Amino acid sequence: MATMKDIAREASVSVATVSMVLNNKPNSRISKHKREEIERLARKLNYQPNFAAISLSKQQSLNIALIVPDITNPFFSLLTKEIDLSLEKDGYSTIFVDSNNSFQNEKKAIESMVSRGVDGIILVPSNEFFRVDQAQRKQLIANLDKPFILLNAYPNDLDVSYVNFDNVNGAYIATQELINKGHQEIAFIQGQTGFVNAAERLTGYQQALRDHHLAVKPQNLFMGDYSVGSGYELASTITQRKDITAILSSNDLMLFGIIKWAKMHHIDVLHQYAMIGFDNDPYSEILEVPLTSVDQRPKAMIEKALAILLERIGSDHPVNKHALIKPELIKRASVFAPVTTSE
Amino acid sequence: MATMKDIAREASVSVATVSMVLNNKPNSRISKHKREEIERLARKLNYQPNFAAISLSKQQSLNIALIVPDITNPFFSLLTKEIDLSLEKDGYSTIFVDSNNSFQNEKKAIESMVSRGVDGIILVPSNEFFRVDQAQRKQLIANLDKPFILLNAYPNDLDVSYVNFDNVNGAYIATQELINKGHQEIAFIQGQTGFVNAAERLTGYQQALRDHHLAVKPQNLFMGDYSVGSGYELASTITQRKDITAILSSNDLMLFGIIKWAKMHHIDVLHQYAMIGFDNDPYSEILEVPLTSVDQRPKAMIEKALAILLERIGSDHPVNKHALIKPELIKRASVFAPVTTSE
DNA sequence: CCTTTTTGCTTAACCGGTTAAGCAGTTGAT
DNA sequence: ATCAACTGCTTAACCGGTTAAGCAAAAAGG
C-alpha cells in the first residue's frame, strides 16, 4: 500500500504538501506543476488513504454504528438497508451490530462503538431496552457524549434525540378503517406495556373507538410480544371469542402467527376476520389474503434520523431533536365487512 | 476520554509501562505494585482504548467487512446475523455494506474497505458479479491482498477462498424426493446461467432424473432470477403445462411469486403442484401449505467461512481454501403424490 | 530600489497507542 | 569480590496521516 510518504519521496516534496494537495485544502498555495505531479503519482501508485491515521489525527472515523435488535426481522432489515445506502452517499460506513434483543448487548455495543471512535450511534432499541429499570437506561445515555439517536422507539424518561413514527395516528387510522367497514368488536393485540410504541398504539386504538362512539372493552385487548410465536399462542383465545370480527395487531408478524395456528387447526381465519397489522411486511402480499398494514414509512424515518444525526455530528452544541413520521395505511384485501360466524 | 497518557501521569510511570500492563504483555516485567496501581487508575478513569491508535500502530483494525447483495432477502439477513454474532465473540466488528445487487457497488465497497484497513472481507456476491466479464472479476481480486472469502457462491474462473453449500447435492436430494413421491414431470426453475449455483443446481436436478431413469426435458426448464417477481411472471407459463405435477425452484421466493400469481387468478397452485424450494425461508411456514425446502445450513456455512477467514488473517502464507456444506432437506407439506389435473 | 505582501513550500508537533532497545539497580553464581 | 543475569522501568522510534507556524524567494507596491 502506497502512503503519502512514498508519493512525497517520488515527487521530492514533504508529506505535508502531499496531504494538502490530495485533500484540496482551500488555502493551500501549491504550484500547479507540483499539484499535478502529486496527483499523477497518487494515481500511479494507487494511493489509498489510511483511515486509521486519518481517524487518529482528525478525531473522526467516518463510521456510524447501527444497532438493531434483530436483522432477521424484515422491518429492521429494511431500515438497515436504507440507512446503509444513505450513509454511504455521505461517505460514512456502517458498523453493524445485531443486539439479539438484549439490553446487555446494546450496552456492550455502545461502549465498544464509542471506543472504536464511531462518529455517531443509531440505536433501534430492543424490547428489553424498555423493560430494564430506568436507572440502567439513564446510565447508558449519561456516559455517552457521542452523537446518538434512537430510531423506531423511544422511552419517555430519557432526554435523547429520536425519530419515531406516529404510533397514535397509525393505530387511529387503522382502527378507523375497520370501524368504517362496520366492525364494532375489534381485537387489539398490544405489544408489551412499558414499550412506548405499544402504549401509543393502544391510545390511538382507544381514541378511534371513542371518537366513533364505540365501547373500549378490556376483554378485546390481548398481549403479544411482536413475535410470530406470540401470535400463534394468542390465536386459540381470540378465535374462541365469537363476537370479535376484526383484529388489529401491533405488527404483521403476530398476524402471521395467528394465520399459522389457524392453518394447523383448519380454521379459515383469513376470511373470517378483517385484519390490519403494522410494518407493511412485504411477505404479507404472498398470503392468500394480503394484509392491510400500517406502513411506518421507513425511508422517511431514516431520512429524518440521518439528517438529525449528521447535523449533530457537524455541530458542537448538542441539542436533542425529535421527529414523528406520519404513517400511511396500505390497503389490501384483508379488510372487509364483518362476517357473521356460524359454527 | 482518558488516555494512557492520563493514567501514566497519575501513576508516575511512562506510557509504555501502562501499555504493557493493560495489554498483559507476557514478557513484561512490571512490579505487582505498579501493575495494580495502573489497573486501578484505568478503572477509575474509565479508560477505553482508542481503536484508531491501535489500528494504526498494530496495522489491524479488528473490523471485518461484510458485503451482501440485499439485506432485505431473508437468507442474507440470516447470514448477516450469524456472522455478526459470531465475529463479535472473536472481538471483531462487522462493517456492513449492502451492495444493492450491483457489481460496481461491490467493487467500490471492496476498495473502500481496503482503505479503511479492515482485517478481512466477506463477499456474498450479487447476481451481477457473475454476469460481468471475467476480466473485471479478475481485476477485482488481483488488486486485493486482504484476507478475502466468497460466501454462498463462487465463480469457477477465479482463484479465491470460498464457502458454498453443495448445490449439486441439494438439487439432487430435492429432485429425488419428488421422484420418490411419484413425480415424473418436474419443472425446474433455474437461476440465471453464468451463476455457478444455478448451473450446479441444474446438474443436480438432471443427475437425479437420469439416476432414476427419467428423461431430462428442456421444456421443463424455466429461467428465473431469484426474485418474487420472476416467479410471478413464470407462473402462467408453468400452470398452462398440464403434464407438470411438481415444481423445483432455485429458491423459495420464486415459489412465493407463483403462489401470489395463482392467488390472483384463483388457481389452487398449492394443492395442485408438489413444490420444493431452496433457502428454507422462515416465511414459508406461514403459507397455507408450508414449503419443503433445501436448507443451506447457513450456520454451518458461516462457521466454516469464518474459520477459514480468521485462519487466513492469522497466517502470513495466504492459501486459498474451499468448503462445500452438505444441505439438508426440510420436509413440509408441499410435497405429495402427483395430482391429476382436471380442468 | 527598498519594503511589504504573497507564494510555495517545509518543519515540527500532534493524534494515541506499540514495541524493540537500552539502562540503572538488584540479585545470584563462582 | 567480580561478573553475569535478571528486574523494573524508560526512551525513542514508529504507524500515517493533519495542520499551525515559519521561512526563503518571488512578486507587488510605492
Side-chain angles (χ1 to χ4, degrees), chain A residues 49 51 62-63 70-71 74 77 81 84 93-94 96 98 100 115-116 260 263 281 283 285-288, chain B residues 49 51 62-63 70-71 74 77 81 84 93-94 96 98 100 115-116 260 263 281 283 286-288:
Chain A
F51 266 67
L62 293 181
N63 281 147
D70 177 17
I71 187 63
S77 71
K81 182 173 187 115
D84 183 65
S93 285
T94 312
F96 171 81
D98 189 311
N100 214 10
S115 170
R116 277 194 137 82
K260 186 178 165 187
K263 211 154 282 170
D281 195 315
Y283 281 82
E285 298 228 27
I286 291 157
L287 291 171
E288 218 176 321
Chain B
F51 266 68
L62 293 183
N63 281 148
D70 177 18
I71 187 63
S77 71
K81 183 175 188 114
D84 183 66
S93 284
T94 311
F96 171 80
D98 189 310
N100 212 13
S115 170
R116 277 191 137 83
K260 186 179 166 188
K263 212 156 279 170
D281 195 316
Y283 282 83
I286 291 157
L287 291 171
E288 218 178 319

Side-chain angles (χ1 to χ4, degrees), chain B residues 22-77:
Chain B
L22 296 182
N23 288 295
N24 264 314
K25 281 284 158 194
N27 293 325
S28 69
R29 302 166 306 217
I30 314 287
S31 64
K32 196 177 173 190
H33 174 254
K34 290 268 170 196
R35 189 178 290 278
E36 283 170 353
E37 172 72 357
I38 288 167
E39 279 164 354
R40 194 183 60 74
L41 283 168
R43 271 193 304 276
K44 181 188 155 203
L45 300 176
N46 189 29
Y47 169 77
Q48 299 289 118
N50 179 313
F51 266 68
I54 295 174
S55 219
L56 185 57
S57 69
K58 294 225 269 195
Q59 303 286 71
Q60 53 136 270
S61 63
L62 293 183
N63 281 148
I64 302 277
L66 171 62
I67 308 169
V68 303
D70 177 18
I71 187 63
T72 273
N73 179 315
F75 180 65
F76 296 141
S77 71

Side-chain angles (χ1 to χ4, degrees), chain A residues 1-13 18 22 36-50, chain B residues 111 114-115 143 145:
Chain A
M1 268 282 115
T3 68
M4 285 194 175
K5 213 183 202 168
D6 301 324
I7 298 178
R9 193 181 338 99
E10 290 214 31
S12 312
V13 294
V18 176
L22 295 183
E36 283 169 354
E37 173 71 359
I38 287 167
E39 279 164 354
R40 194 183 60 74
L41 283 167
R43 271 193 303 276
K44 181 187 152 204
L45 300 176
N46 190 28
Y47 170 75
Q48 298 290 119
N50 180 312
Chain B
E111 282 166 3
V114 168
S115 170
N143 298 333
D145 67 342

